[in-house]
Amino acid sequence: SGQYQQAINKYKEATAIDANVPAYWSNMAACYEKLGKYEEMADAARSCIKADKNFVKGYFRLATAQKNLNDLAGCVKTLESGLAVQSSNPDLKKMKKDVQELQRGEQVASYCRKAEEQMQGNDIPGAYKTLELASRLDAGNPDIERMMSKVRPKFEAMEAQRKAGLSATESYKEKGDEAYKAAKFEEAVALYGKCIEGLKREGKDQTELALKAHSNRAACYKQISNFDGVIEDCTAVLEIDPENVKALIRRAQAFEGVERYRFALQDVKTVLAMPFDKVGKANFDLCNMMQHRLNRTVQQLKAMG
């Protein structure tokens, strides 16, 4: 270890003379790695990248340090920066694959711990959902399958009991959801329609269930490009909940689809005037983009006369 420390001192002297030689920093980082000093290794690697951002070894050194410090997210980011410089680098590609595999393993373990806690707290639906997420990441994992074998029978029994207690209208909505998830959009439209008609007969067309049925049918209509259907159902949602962001955006997209640009612009502006926290970044960015596009279209139409 003494020789590595001596080498580090020599490289420090060299960088004091000329800090823009990336190899000095890279070799210093390699020495720190041999000593297990990963914080210092990371600092040297950052200086290496600063000296020459096209010197790929610098990214490899920094990623190695971050991996050993268990900063896996930072490590992947560094590797992606390196791959942006040299996309075919085999060392960077291999490490990225290995680290993402570690991340996946950590996420699966975290899901299993959460499901265990949910089972102990008797939150069977929560545990079932968590284990489903885990199995999507690691199908066939024996730990997940063992836990699922305990949870699934209880969950299915609870689901059967819940469905038995549903009213006819609630049952149509539930079947509509199942058809939607299976991408049977026409079938889902018909089922949501039966739910909505039933609620109207019962005088319950302003309820939460009605809102969900209209909202979900609008999503189906969007999938099959029935823009008039989207507009009608989103309008019904907005009569119940005037600030429903999802309905306003869907209706704006549908208005644009049928070339009613001013109406689309109005809905987009309504969303952009709402508090940012309520709208969320993704929706805000989408509406901002739509507003620019729609403003251009409206101006062009005015110019055409």
Side-chain angles (χ1 to χ4, degrees), residues 12-263:
K12 279 185 177 175
E13 287 170 18
T15 57
I17 296 164
D18 188 351
N20 294 318
V21 180
Y24 295 161
W25 296 109
S26 176
N27 293 347
M28 190 194 298
C31 292
Y32 277 129
E33 183 183 4
K34 295 289 186 187
L35 296 173
K37 293 184 172 181
Y38 299 113
E39 293 281 4
E40 291 86 344
M41 182 187 183
D43 289 339
R46 285 190 187 95
S47 296
C48 177
I49 294 165
K50 191 179 172 187
D52 182 356
K53 66 179 189 300
N54 294 316
F55 189 82
V56 176
K57 200 77 176 174
Y59 298 98
F60 183 76
R61 300 279 190 223
L62 178 55
T64 301
Q66 289 168 318
K67 184 182 174 187
N68 281 286
L69 291 165
N70 207 31
D71 175 13
L72 299 184
C75 177
V76 169
K77 206 171 172 184
T78 299
L79 291 165
E80 284 170 351
S81 299
L83 287 164
V85 175
Q86 191 186 77
S87 60
S88 61
N89 186 283
D91 293 332
L92 297 179
K93 283 167 84 172
K94 185 183 182 303
M95 193 191 286
K96 187 182 174 187
K97 189 181 173 188
D98 291 346
V99 171
Q100 285 179 325
E101 191 58 35
L102 281 173
Q103 283 182 307
R104 191 171 69 97
E106 281 192 358
Q107 183 63 70
V108 169
S110 167
Y111 279 142
C112 287
R113 284 193 300 273
K114 185 181 176 183
E116 197 74 61
E117 285 168 18
Q118 287 168 318
M119 284 161 71
Q120 284 170 3
N122 213 28
D123 176 9
I124 301 301
Y128 185 81
K129 195 174 178 182
T130 302
L131 289 169
E132 272 199 324
L133 291 170
S135 61
R136 278 180 213 161
L137 285 176
D138 194 2
N141 179 305
D143 289 333
I144 299 169
E145 288 186 347
R146 176 182 52 77
M147 292 168 79
M148 195 56 118
S149 68
K150 290 181 190 172
V151 172
R152 187 181 280 111
K154 291 180 184 176
F155 176 75
E156 285 173 353
M158 287 173 77
E159 274 295 280
Q161 196 175 355
R162 185 184 67 79
K163 285 179 181 178
L166 293 176
S167 67
T169 46
E170 287 169 332
S171 187
Y172 282 131
K173 152 80 170 54
E174 188 98 1
K175 285 171 183 168
D177 292 348
E178 286 165 12
Y180 179 80
K181 283 174 190 166
K184 295 175 180 174
F185 303 118
E186 303 276 5
E187 190 182 313
V189 163
L191 288 160
Y192 289 132
K194 286 180 179 178
C195 172
I196 290 161
E197 287 309 311
L199 289 169
K200 279 180 184 168
R201 282 196 302 272
E202 295 166 15
K204 294 178 180 174
D205 53 348
Q206 297 288 304
T207 58
E208 183 69 19
L209 181 60
L211 185 150
K212 285 178 180 173
H214 279 294
S215 181
N216 292 4
R217 189 169 68 176
C220 293
Y221 280 141
K222 186 181 173 186
Q223 290 288 344
I224 55 178
S225 299
N226 179 341
F227 298 124
D228 290 328
V230 175
I231 292 163
E232 193 179 322
D233 272 324
C234 287
T235 302
V237 169
L238 292 163
E239 281 171 10
I240 302 168
D241 176 11
E243 292 197 339
N244 189 295
V245 173
K246 199 184 284 183
L248 282 163
I249 293 173
R250 272 196 195 132
R251 191 170 72 173
Q253 290 169 328
F255 275 139
E256 188 177 11
V258 293
E259 299 179 7
R260 293 166 73 185
Y261 302 115
R262 284 183 179 82
F263 286 105

